[in-house]
Amino acid sequence: MSARAFVLSREDRADASAELHRLAAALRRAGMTSRYGVSVHKVPGRGAWGIYVTDRTPELGPPDAWARAVFQSSGLAA
């Protein structure tokens, strides 16, 4: 079972798609696409588009420091 987490939102679908491609590129560079996927969906109850990260193997526990560093380098994690 996978776990999807909301990462950020953009008002315009094209802007959300641009963010999705930026994050997907960072995941590819880091070799993390077997564990993580990204998608764009309407945010429930809002007019915005959300960018979501899906952890395909949440049973492995939370992301390690390397995964957090990839998300931070993409500007998508604190």
Side-chain angles (χ1 to χ4, degrees):
M1 176 177 207
S2 61
R4 185 171 76 172
F6 175 79
V7 178
L8 57 98
S9 68
R10 295 291 181 257
E11 294 302 316
D12 182 69
R13 185 174 183 164
D15 292 340
S17 292
E19 293 292 345
L20 172 131
H21 289 289
R22 191 168 63 91
L23 179 55
L27 291 171
R28 276 192 306 275
R29 283 191 303 273
M32 297 173 62
T33 56
S34 62
R35 179 165 183 179
Y36 299 102
V38 289
S39 57
V40 172
H41 305 278
K42 283 292 248 181
V43 177
R46 294 184 51 201
W49 292 88
I51 295 90
Y52 296 83
V53 172
T54 300
D55 184 345
R56 295 181 181 111
T57 55
E59 66 275 4
L60 296 178
D64 60 13
W66 182 64
R68 284 192 299 277
V70 170
F71 292 132
Q72 287 171 346
S73 73
S74 299
L76 297 174

